[in-house]
Amino acid sequence: MTTPIVETKGIEVRFPLPTHFLSRDKPVLHALNTVDIAIQPGETFCVVGESGCGKTTLGRAIIGLQPPTAGEIYFNGQRIDQMDEATRKPIRRDMQMVFQNPYASLNPRRNVFETLAEPIRHLMPETPASEVRETVENVLAVTGCDPSWQRKLPHEFSGGQRQRIAIARALVTNPAFIVADEPISALDVSIQAQILNLMTDLQSKWGLTYLFITHDLSVVEHFGTRVAVMYLGRVMELAKTETLFDAPKHPYTQLLLDAIPKLEGGSFDTPREPGELPDPVNMPPGCPFAPRCAMAEARCRAERPELRPLSNGARVACHFAE
Amino acid sequence: MPLLEIRDLHVAFPKGKKTEVEALRGVNLTLEKGERLGVVGESGAGKSMLAFAILNLIADPGRVSQGSITFHGENLLDLSERDIRSIRGNRISMIFQDPMVTLNPVLSIGTQMIETLKAHRRISDKEARKLCIEKLREVAIPSAESRLEAYPHELSGGLRQRVVIAIALLTDPELIIADEPTTALDVTIQAEIMALILKLCREKDVALLLITHDLGVVAEVTQRLMIMYAGLCVETGQTRGIIDAPQHPYTYGLLKALPQKVGRGARLYQIPGSMPPITALPSGCAYHPRCDRATDVCRSQIPPLENGRACFHPLNVPEAT
């Protein structure tokens, strides 16, 4: 197996919560708990889960926006989580991010040229001005943006156009790896397909590797090479896309798949019990999914299942999966 | 007589001093008792405007400039504010997108529920309380009695939306208007909430006007469908029929663009461009700049809604028998 482009070893992210000044206990929110993933060059690695599962925190930790409180992160075999800013700077060129909301991620007072030139000027300061212009023009062309957009401001564009600009900004430094955090969730249905197709084209043209964070399993099925399903800061199932959709092994994965509304209809005909998430501050000792799980037994509430390999190649954190 | 009938509804907003732009450009709709209708469209298509118009909630300076909205044979547009209040939240209930915004954060669930009841019924506090607990049980809220004292922030997003549904049901409405009721919620919670709405509408024979952008959700819940584009209905008919054989190129494109419609890794079908804003509508059919079937007639004339579609060159037309 080749060296993974990105690898995390047991990373954890904890957020201390505000405490009352008289209180003795210091509540801590465990946003990520010992997450091990290895992303191979050229693949689209999807992370799915519901809000609060830690998928965005994982992306931010890898890209360096949220330093992990424990564990190690590697990029092309090089440990990056403890690097100082100066050593890390050349690596930032190779890792870029596209955010969910293109209405918030673009500076409203900066025109498109300035927005796209900024990463080059900052991360590759030796680039001559003529080359900056050329790169910006090239990237705008490959992302399907009109050259005339360069002097315009974000408010002049629709959501889909803004997301194209955000993708163009992520590409100007010629990165190898892109974290895309819900890049189509804020867009209208007819625009989502445009952006997904653009990302597919860019991947085949430039050999990009994606970490694609989403809550939408139908997008994962279409777009992903491998999938990690997360729940309350832990990976519950990690498998190739086909394997996961053909034979989901974790009861939580099954629950997510059953929740997708289908064009054929019929899956909302039976009432569903309200599912309650356990408090992420005071996590129960056993499996985090046990309170919602139909299969849960005493063992699940006492002992947390570790992620273990199954015969079909998937890795699953469930005592009963086989 | 249908429960709700909308004829040629226009909603206009002023643009500058003398001109107006139309957010709705002549919408027709009928809803029978107990029927579930889905209204689908992208942002700006006018679907929420339709809901607001029915409830007489179009905010100034917008106004209903033409048309009628008949509920039980009575034109809602002719009613005084006082009379519309006896219908709104009583015989017609609403469920909106974000339960954190619709519920008052400083009042307990019980206070908000009892307030709703007392606005429409003469009822004692004790009886109101009893009825509230009953409704909370109906929407499967665990330990309903103690939840009456809870505040919205103490509940999860899914439970909050269940409370909103319980409030909507308090007055035994004949019609529920649900505007993107699950868009702010996680997928598993969406499934719970939509299954609950479907069950309650069936059991109580309540009509539902479900506004959403999600074709999967309408396929699961509704019997009839209305597709909106740039302030007009472009296709309407039985939900199953439209999903299996869409006739308008826009509906066809929306369905085909869904990832679940193509094989894994295959290129998705994409509709080029985006929906025009109401301030800059093209001539003729508003969809023609994005349509691969458009001809000269589409550029000059607005296609009338006939046989369930507003298109000069429809697809999947059933053969005449």
Side-chain angles (χ1 to χ4, degrees), chain B residues 99-130:
Chain B
M100 203 57 218
V101 179
T102 24
L103 292 173
N104 188 333
V106 298
L107 298 180
S108 70
I109 303 298
T111 312
Q112 301 190 46
M113 294 185 84
I114 292 167
E115 186 182 42
T116 309
L117 262 178
K118 290 202 145 183
H120 298 291
R121 301 261 188 289
R122 281 192 189 176
I123 189 168
S124 73
D125 277 354
K126 204 177 153 198
E127 266 177 80
R129 227 184 118 80
K130 218 179 106 199

PDB file of all heavy atoms in Angstrom, chain B residues 99-130:
ATOM      1  N   PRO B  99     -37.675  25.188  14.442  1.00  0.00           N
ATOM      2  CA  PRO B  99     -38.450  25.202  15.688  1.00  0.00           C
ATOM      3  C   PRO B  99     -37.843  26.109  16.744  1.00  0.00           C
ATOM      4  O   PRO B  99     -38.524  26.545  17.658  1.00  0.00           O
ATOM      5  CB  PRO B  99     -38.439  23.744  16.139  1.00  0.00           C
ATOM      6  CG  PRO B  99     -37.283  23.123  15.458  1.00  0.00           C
ATOM      7  CD  PRO B  99     -37.094  23.869  14.169  1.00  0.00           C
ATOM      8  N   MET B 100     -36.537  26.419  16.634  1.00  0.00           N
ATOM      9  CA  MET B 100     -35.923  27.311  17.623  1.00  0.00           C
ATOM     10  C   MET B 100     -36.418  28.742  17.414  1.00  0.00           C
ATOM     11  O   MET B 100     -36.417  29.539  18.328  1.00  0.00           O
ATOM     12  CB  MET B 100     -34.400  27.235  17.488  1.00  0.00           C
ATOM     13  CG  MET B 100     -33.649  27.640  18.748  1.00  0.00           C
ATOM     14  SD  MET B 100     -34.126  26.652  20.167  1.00  0.00           S
ATOM     15  CE  MET B 100     -34.116  27.873  21.463  1.00  0.00           C
ATOM     16  N   VAL B 101     -36.822  29.045  16.203  1.00  0.00           N
ATOM     17  CA  VAL B 101     -37.313  30.395  15.920  1.00  0.00           C
ATOM     18  C   VAL B 101     -38.821  30.497  16.164  1.00  0.00           C
ATOM     19  O   VAL B 101     -39.324  31.513  16.616  1.00  0.00           O
ATOM     20  CB  VAL B 101     -36.969  30.793  14.463  1.00  0.00           C
ATOM     21  CG1 VAL B 101     -37.485  32.176  14.149  1.00  0.00           C
ATOM     22  CG2 VAL B 101     -35.477  30.724  14.241  1.00  0.00           C
ATOM     23  N   THR B 102     -39.569  29.415  15.885  1.00  0.00           N
ATOM     24  CA  THR B 102     -41.026  29.485  16.021  1.00  0.00           C
ATOM     25  C   THR B 102     -41.475  29.424  17.475  1.00  0.00           C
ATOM     26  O   THR B 102     -42.518  29.970  17.817  1.00  0.00           O
ATOM     27  CB  THR B 102     -41.726  28.356  15.247  1.00  0.00           C
ATOM     28  OG1 THR B 102     -40.836  27.277  15.074  1.00  0.00           O
ATOM     29  CG2 THR B 102     -42.202  28.842  13.917  1.00  0.00           C
ATOM     30  N   LEU B 103     -40.706  28.752  18.327  1.00  0.00           N
ATOM     31  CA  LEU B 103     -41.099  28.696  19.734  1.00  0.00           C
ATOM     32  C   LEU B 103     -40.512  29.898  20.470  1.00  0.00           C
ATOM     33  O   LEU B 103     -39.402  30.334  20.177  1.00  0.00           O
ATOM     34  CB  LEU B 103     -40.590  27.398  20.370  1.00  0.00           C
ATOM     35  CG  LEU B 103     -41.246  26.114  19.862  1.00  0.00           C
ATOM     36  CD1 LEU B 103     -40.541  24.893  20.438  1.00  0.00           C
ATOM     37  CD2 LEU B 103     -42.718  26.087  20.218  1.00  0.00           C
ATOM     38  N   ASN B 104     -41.267  30.408  21.426  1.00  0.00           N
ATOM     39  CA  ASN B 104     -40.775  31.533  22.222  1.00  0.00           C
ATOM     40  C   ASN B 104     -39.783  31.005  23.268  1.00  0.00           C
ATOM     41  O   ASN B 104     -40.148  30.177  24.099  1.00  0.00           O
ATOM     42  CB  ASN B 104     -41.961  32.212  22.896  1.00  0.00           C
ATOM     43  CG  ASN B 104     -41.560  33.497  23.592  1.00  0.00           C
ATOM     44  OD1 ASN B 104     -40.413  33.644  24.015  1.00  0.00           O
ATOM     45  ND2 ASN B 104     -42.487  34.418  23.700  1.00  0.00           N
ATOM     46  N   PRO B 105     -38.532  31.492  23.241  1.00  0.00           N
ATOM     47  CA  PRO B 105     -37.517  30.914  24.124  1.00  0.00           C
ATOM     48  C   PRO B 105     -37.732  31.211  25.608  1.00  0.00           C
ATOM     49  O   PRO B 105     -37.182  30.515  26.453  1.00  0.00           O
ATOM     50  CB  PRO B 105     -36.215  31.554  23.631  1.00  0.00           C
ATOM     51  CG  PRO B 105     -36.618  32.797  22.926  1.00  0.00           C
ATOM     52  CD  PRO B 105     -37.980  32.528  22.354  1.00  0.00           C
ATOM     53  N   VAL B 106     -38.512  32.247  25.951  1.00  0.00           N
ATOM     54  CA  VAL B 106     -38.646  32.592  27.367  1.00  0.00           C
ATOM     55  C   VAL B 106     -39.943  32.084  27.996  1.00  0.00           C
ATOM     56  O   VAL B 106     -40.206  32.342  29.160  1.00  0.00           O
ATOM     57  CB  VAL B 106     -38.500  34.119  27.607  1.00  0.00           C
ATOM     58  CG1 VAL B 106     -37.131  34.604  27.187  1.00  0.00           C
ATOM     59  CG2 VAL B 106     -39.587  34.894  26.884  1.00  0.00           C
ATOM     60  N   LEU B 107     -40.756  31.362  27.228  1.00  0.00           N
ATOM     61  CA  LEU B 107     -41.968  30.789  27.801  1.00  0.00           C
ATOM     62  C   LEU B 107     -41.859  29.273  27.813  1.00  0.00           C
ATOM     63  O   LEU B 107     -41.303  28.681  26.885  1.00  0.00           O
ATOM     64  CB  LEU B 107     -43.200  31.197  26.978  1.00  0.00           C
ATOM     65  CG  LEU B 107     -43.528  32.686  26.899  1.00  0.00           C
ATOM     66  CD1 LEU B 107     -44.767  32.885  26.039  1.00  0.00           C
ATOM     67  CD2 LEU B 107     -43.741  33.261  28.283  1.00  0.00           C
ATOM     68  N   SER B 108     -42.407  28.655  28.856  1.00  0.00           N
ATOM     69  CA  SER B 108     -42.369  27.195  28.912  1.00  0.00           C
ATOM     70  C   SER B 108     -43.290  26.629  27.831  1.00  0.00           C
ATOM     71  O   SER B 108     -44.195  27.310  27.337  1.00  0.00           O
ATOM     72  CB  SER B 108     -42.807  26.706  30.290  1.00  0.00           C
ATOM     73  OG  SER B 108     -44.187  26.937  30.450  1.00  0.00           O
ATOM     74  N   ILE B 109     -43.048  25.364  27.483  1.00  0.00           N
ATOM     75  CA  ILE B 109     -43.849  24.694  26.469  1.00  0.00           C
ATOM     76  C   ILE B 109     -45.328  24.771  26.836  1.00  0.00           C
ATOM     77  O   ILE B 109     -46.185  25.088  26.016  1.00  0.00           O
ATOM     78  CB  ILE B 109     -43.426  23.202  26.362  1.00  0.00           C
ATOM     79  CG1 ILE B 109     -41.936  23.072  26.062  1.00  0.00           C
ATOM     80  CG2 ILE B 109     -44.262  22.444  25.365  1.00  0.00           C
ATOM     81  CD1 ILE B 109     -41.500  23.669  24.773  1.00  0.00           C
ATOM     82  N   GLY B 110     -45.638  24.499  28.128  1.00  0.00           N
ATOM     83  CA  GLY B 110     -47.027  24.498  28.589  1.00  0.00           C
ATOM     84  C   GLY B 110     -47.686  25.857  28.399  1.00  0.00           C
ATOM     85  O   GLY B 110     -48.806  25.953  27.885  1.00  0.00           O
ATOM     86  N   THR B 111     -46.975  26.935  28.780  1.00  0.00           N
ATOM     87  CA  THR B 111     -47.535  28.283  28.634  1.00  0.00           C
ATOM     88  C   THR B 111     -47.885  28.559  27.180  1.00  0.00           C
ATOM     89  O   THR B 111     -48.953  29.087  26.864  1.00  0.00           O
ATOM     90  CB  THR B 111     -46.507  29.327  29.118  1.00  0.00           C
ATOM     91  OG1 THR B 111     -46.019  28.913  30.381  1.00  0.00           O
ATOM     92  CG2 THR B 111     -47.133  30.701  29.219  1.00  0.00           C
ATOM     93  N   GLN B 112     -46.974  28.174  26.273  1.00  0.00           N
ATOM     94  CA  GLN B 112     -47.204  28.445  24.853  1.00  0.00           C
ATOM     95  C   GLN B 112     -48.369  27.646  24.311  1.00  0.00           C
ATOM     96  O   GLN B 112     -49.143  28.116  23.481  1.00  0.00           O
ATOM     97  CB  GLN B 112     -45.947  28.128  24.036  1.00  0.00           C
ATOM     98  CG  GLN B 112     -44.770  28.939  24.484  1.00  0.00           C
ATOM     99  CD  GLN B 112     -43.588  28.836  23.546  1.00  0.00           C
ATOM    100  OE1 GLN B 112     -43.720  28.941  22.342  1.00  0.00           O
ATOM    101  NE2 GLN B 112     -42.420  28.624  24.113  1.00  0.00           N
ATOM    102  N   MET B 113     -48.520  26.408  24.797  1.00  0.00           N
ATOM    103  CA  MET B 113     -49.603  25.569  24.303  1.00  0.00           C
ATOM    104  C   MET B 113     -50.946  26.077  24.811  1.00  0.00           C
ATOM    105  O   MET B 113     -51.919  26.178  24.061  1.00  0.00           O
ATOM    106  CB  MET B 113     -49.380  24.113  24.716  1.00  0.00           C
ATOM    107  CG  MET B 113     -48.163  23.487  24.053  1.00  0.00           C
ATOM    108  SD  MET B 113     -47.991  21.732  24.423  1.00  0.00           S
ATOM    109  CE  MET B 113     -49.070  21.021  23.202  1.00  0.00           C
ATOM    110  N   ILE B 114     -50.994  26.400  26.106  1.00  0.00           N
ATOM    111  CA  ILE B 114     -52.256  26.846  26.705  1.00  0.00           C
ATOM    112  C   ILE B 114     -52.686  28.175  26.091  1.00  0.00           C
ATOM    113  O   ILE B 114     -53.870  28.411  25.816  1.00  0.00           O
ATOM    114  CB  ILE B 114     -52.123  26.917  28.243  1.00  0.00           C
ATOM    115  CG1 ILE B 114     -51.969  25.491  28.796  1.00  0.00           C
ATOM    116  CG2 ILE B 114     -53.321  27.602  28.881  1.00  0.00           C
ATOM    117  CD1 ILE B 114     -51.526  25.395  30.227  1.00  0.00           C
ATOM    118  N   GLU B 115     -51.699  29.041  25.826  1.00  0.00           N
ATOM    119  CA  GLU B 115     -51.972  30.329  25.185  1.00  0.00           C
ATOM    120  C   GLU B 115     -52.673  30.125  23.835  1.00  0.00           C
ATOM    121  O   GLU B 115     -53.669  30.783  23.527  1.00  0.00           O
ATOM    122  CB  GLU B 115     -50.639  31.054  24.984  1.00  0.00           C
ATOM    123  CG  GLU B 115     -50.768  32.463  24.472  1.00  0.00           C
ATOM    124  CD  GLU B 115     -49.402  33.102  24.242  1.00  0.00           C
ATOM    125  OE1 GLU B 115     -48.509  32.409  23.705  1.00  0.00           O
ATOM    126  OE2 GLU B 115     -49.239  34.271  24.598  1.00  0.00           O
ATOM    127  N   THR B 116     -52.146  29.205  23.041  1.00  0.00           N
ATOM    128  CA  THR B 116     -52.744  28.917  21.739  1.00  0.00           C
ATOM    129  C   THR B 116     -54.187  28.455  21.899  1.00  0.00           C
ATOM    130  O   THR B 116     -55.087  28.910  21.192  1.00  0.00           O
ATOM    131  CB  THR B 116     -51.937  27.822  21.014  1.00  0.00           C
ATOM    132  OG1 THR B 116     -50.571  28.197  21.011  1.00  0.00           O
ATOM    133  CG2 THR B 116     -52.426  27.605  19.601  1.00  0.00           C
ATOM    134  N   LEU B 117     -54.393  27.537  22.842  1.00  0.00           N
ATOM    135  CA  LEU B 117     -55.744  27.011  23.053  1.00  0.00           C
ATOM    136  C   LEU B 117     -56.714  28.099  23.470  1.00  0.00           C
ATOM    137  O   LEU B 117     -57.820  28.211  22.959  1.00  0.00           O
ATOM    138  CB  LEU B 117     -55.702  25.943  24.145  1.00  0.00           C
ATOM    139  CG  LEU B 117     -55.653  24.497  23.688  1.00  0.00           C
ATOM    140  CD1 LEU B 117     -55.558  23.599  24.900  1.00  0.00           C
ATOM    141  CD2 LEU B 117     -56.883  24.142  22.861  1.00  0.00           C
ATOM    142  N   LYS B 118     -56.273  28.924  24.423  1.00  0.00           N
ATOM    143  CA  LYS B 118     -57.172  29.954  24.971  1.00  0.00           C
ATOM    144  C   LYS B 118     -57.485  31.041  23.953  1.00  0.00           C
ATOM    145  O   LYS B 118     -58.516  31.709  24.067  1.00  0.00           O
ATOM    146  CB  LYS B 118     -56.564  30.548  26.232  1.00  0.00           C
ATOM    147  CG  LYS B 118     -56.571  29.553  27.375  1.00  0.00           C
ATOM    148  CD  LYS B 118     -56.481  30.257  28.699  1.00  0.00           C
ATOM    149  CE  LYS B 118     -57.305  29.498  29.720  1.00  0.00           C
ATOM    150  NZ  LYS B 118     -57.308  30.162  31.015  1.00  0.00           N
ATOM    151  N   ALA B 119     -56.593  31.223  22.977  1.00  0.00           N
ATOM    152  CA  ALA B 119     -56.864  32.216  21.941  1.00  0.00           C
ATOM    153  C   ALA B 119     -58.044  31.796  21.077  1.00  0.00           C
ATOM    154  O   ALA B 119     -58.706  32.622  20.467  1.00  0.00           O
ATOM    155  CB  ALA B 119     -55.620  32.424  21.084  1.00  0.00           C
ATOM    156  N   HIS B 120     -58.294  30.495  21.002  1.00  0.00           N
ATOM    157  CA  HIS B 120     -59.327  30.009  20.093  1.00  0.00           C
ATOM    158  C   HIS B 120     -60.502  29.308  20.777  1.00  0.00           C
ATOM    159  O   HIS B 120     -61.512  29.035  20.144  1.00  0.00           O
ATOM    160  CB  HIS B 120     -58.705  29.057  19.064  1.00  0.00           C
ATOM    161  CG  HIS B 120     -57.677  29.719  18.200  1.00  0.00           C
ATOM    162  ND1 HIS B 120     -58.002  30.668  17.272  1.00  0.00           N
ATOM    163  CD2 HIS B 120     -56.337  29.588  18.140  1.00  0.00           C
ATOM    164  CE1 HIS B 120     -56.902  31.080  16.667  1.00  0.00           C
ATOM    165  NE2 HIS B 120     -55.875  30.454  17.183  1.00  0.00           N
ATOM    166  N   ARG B 121     -60.355  28.952  22.042  1.00  0.00           N
ATOM    167  CA  ARG B 121     -61.410  28.198  22.720  1.00  0.00           C
ATOM    168  C   ARG B 121     -61.688  28.799  24.093  1.00  0.00           C
ATOM    169  O   ARG B 121     -60.769  29.298  24.730  1.00  0.00           O
ATOM    170  CB  ARG B 121     -60.958  26.757  22.965  1.00  0.00           C
ATOM    171  CG  ARG B 121     -60.584  25.960  21.746  1.00  0.00           C
ATOM    172  CD  ARG B 121     -61.715  25.064  21.295  1.00  0.00           C
ATOM    173  NE  ARG B 121     -61.248  24.188  20.233  1.00  0.00           N
ATOM    174  CZ  ARG B 121     -60.968  24.587  19.004  1.00  0.00           C
ATOM    175  NH1 ARG B 121     -61.065  25.862  18.671  1.00  0.00           N
ATOM    176  NH2 ARG B 121     -60.556  23.732  18.086  1.00  0.00           N
ATOM    177  N   ARG B 122     -62.934  28.662  24.541  1.00  0.00           N
ATOM    178  CA  ARG B 122     -63.204  28.956  25.946  1.00  0.00           C
ATOM    179  C   ARG B 122     -62.950  27.685  26.709  1.00  0.00           C
ATOM    180  O   ARG B 122     -63.681  26.712  26.574  1.00  0.00           O
ATOM    181  CB  ARG B 122     -64.659  29.381  26.115  1.00  0.00           C
ATOM    182  CG  ARG B 122     -64.832  30.801  25.706  1.00  0.00           C
ATOM    183  CD  ARG B 122     -66.174  31.250  26.162  1.00  0.00           C
ATOM    184  NE  ARG B 122     -66.423  32.562  25.582  1.00  0.00           N
ATOM    185  CZ  ARG B 122     -67.550  33.207  25.726  1.00  0.00           C
ATOM    186  NH1 ARG B 122     -68.529  32.661  26.406  1.00  0.00           N
ATOM    187  NH2 ARG B 122     -67.713  34.385  25.196  1.00  0.00           N
ATOM    188  N   ILE B 123     -61.928  27.676  27.512  1.00  0.00           N
ATOM    189  CA  ILE B 123     -61.531  26.437  28.149  1.00  0.00           C
ATOM    190  C   ILE B 123     -60.846  26.764  29.474  1.00  0.00           C
ATOM    191  O   ILE B 123     -60.174  27.786  29.595  1.00  0.00           O
ATOM    192  CB  ILE B 123     -60.591  25.652  27.193  1.00  0.00           C
ATOM    193  CG1 ILE B 123     -60.316  24.239  27.693  1.00  0.00           C
ATOM    194  CG2 ILE B 123     -59.297  26.380  26.936  1.00  0.00           C
ATOM    195  CD1 ILE B 123     -59.648  23.372  26.650  1.00  0.00           C
ATOM    196  N   SER B 124     -61.087  25.923  30.489  1.00  0.00           N
ATOM    197  CA  SER B 124     -60.451  26.165  31.782  1.00  0.00           C
ATOM    198  C   SER B 124     -58.984  25.750  31.726  1.00  0.00           C
ATOM    199  O   SER B 124     -58.596  24.927  30.902  1.00  0.00           O
ATOM    200  CB  SER B 124     -61.161  25.360  32.873  1.00  0.00           C
ATOM    201  OG  SER B 124     -60.836  23.990  32.728  1.00  0.00           O
ATOM    202  N   ASP B 125     -58.179  26.323  32.619  1.00  0.00           N
ATOM    203  CA  ASP B 125     -56.756  25.987  32.664  1.00  0.00           C
ATOM    204  C   ASP B 125     -56.534  24.489  32.821  1.00  0.00           C
ATOM    205  O   ASP B 125     -55.654  23.909  32.196  1.00  0.00           O
ATOM    206  CB  ASP B 125     -56.085  26.711  33.842  1.00  0.00           C
ATOM    207  CG  ASP B 125     -55.708  28.134  33.447  1.00  0.00           C
ATOM    208  OD1 ASP B 125     -55.870  28.464  32.253  1.00  0.00           O
ATOM    209  OD2 ASP B 125     -55.275  28.896  34.325  1.00  0.00           O
ATOM    210  N   LYS B 126     -57.360  23.896  33.691  1.00  0.00           N
ATOM    211  CA  LYS B 126     -57.176  22.483  33.992  1.00  0.00           C
ATOM    212  C   LYS B 126     -57.425  21.630  32.748  1.00  0.00           C
ATOM    213  O   LYS B 126     -56.646  20.741  32.405  1.00  0.00           O
ATOM    214  CB  LYS B 126     -58.139  22.087  35.111  1.00  0.00           C
ATOM    215  CG  LYS B 126     -57.669  20.876  35.889  1.00  0.00           C
ATOM    216  CD  LYS B 126     -58.616  20.580  37.030  1.00  0.00           C
ATOM    217  CE  LYS B 126     -58.546  19.103  37.360  1.00  0.00           C
ATOM    218  NZ  LYS B 126     -59.715  18.681  38.126  1.00  0.00           N
ATOM    219  N   GLU B 127     -58.523  21.956  32.073  1.00  0.00           N
ATOM    220  CA  GLU B 127     -58.845  21.200  30.860  1.00  0.00           C
ATOM    221  C   GLU B 127     -57.801  21.417  29.778  1.00  0.00           C
ATOM    222  O   GLU B 127     -57.419  20.489  29.070  1.00  0.00           O
ATOM    223  CB  GLU B 127     -60.209  21.643  30.330  1.00  0.00           C
ATOM    224  CG  GLU B 127     -61.363  20.802  30.799  1.00  0.00           C
ATOM    225  CD  GLU B 127     -62.648  21.385  30.255  1.00  0.00           C
ATOM    226  OE1 GLU B 127     -62.941  21.119  29.080  1.00  0.00           O
ATOM    227  OE2 GLU B 127     -63.307  22.132  30.998  1.00  0.00           O
ATOM    228  N   ALA B 128     -57.343  22.702  29.658  1.00  0.00           N
ATOM    229  CA  ALA B 128     -56.331  23.023  28.658  1.00  0.00           C
ATOM    230  C   ALA B 128     -55.076  22.199  28.898  1.00  0.00           C
ATOM    231  O   ALA B 128     -54.492  21.626  27.976  1.00  0.00           O
ATOM    232  CB  ALA B 128     -55.999  24.515  28.710  1.00  0.00           C
ATOM    233  N   ARG B 129     -54.674  22.109  30.154  1.00  0.00           N
ATOM    234  CA  ARG B 129     -53.494  21.341  30.513  1.00  0.00           C
ATOM    235  C   ARG B 129     -53.640  19.875  30.112  1.00  0.00           C
ATOM    236  O   ARG B 129     -52.734  19.264  29.557  1.00  0.00           O
ATOM    237  CB  ARG B 129     -53.298  21.431  32.028  1.00  0.00           C
ATOM    238  CG  ARG B 129     -51.901  21.744  32.456  1.00  0.00           C
ATOM    239  CD  ARG B 129     -51.830  21.716  33.974  1.00  0.00           C
ATOM    240  NE  ARG B 129     -50.888  20.666  34.370  1.00  0.00           N
ATOM    241  CZ  ARG B 129     -49.577  20.835  34.346  1.00  0.00           C
ATOM    242  NH1 ARG B 129     -49.053  21.974  33.979  1.00  0.00           N
ATOM    243  NH2 ARG B 129     -48.774  19.838  34.689  1.00  0.00           N
ATOM    244  N   LYS B 130     -54.828  19.359  30.393  1.00  0.00           N
ATOM    245  CA  LYS B 130     -55.088  17.955  30.073  1.00  0.00           C
ATOM    246  C   LYS B 130     -54.954  17.711  28.567  1.00  0.00           C
ATOM    247  O   LYS B 130     -54.338  16.743  28.119  1.00  0.00           O
ATOM    248  CB  LYS B 130     -56.507  17.576  30.548  1.00  0.00           C
ATOM    249  CG  LYS B 130     -56.602  16.172  31.115  1.00  0.00           C
ATOM    250  CD  LYS B 130     -58.009  15.869  31.597  1.00  0.00           C
ATOM    251  CE  LYS B 130     -58.713  14.939  30.640  1.00  0.00           C
ATOM    252  NZ  LYS B 130     -60.175  14.937  30.785  1.00  0.00           N
TER     253      LYS B 130
END
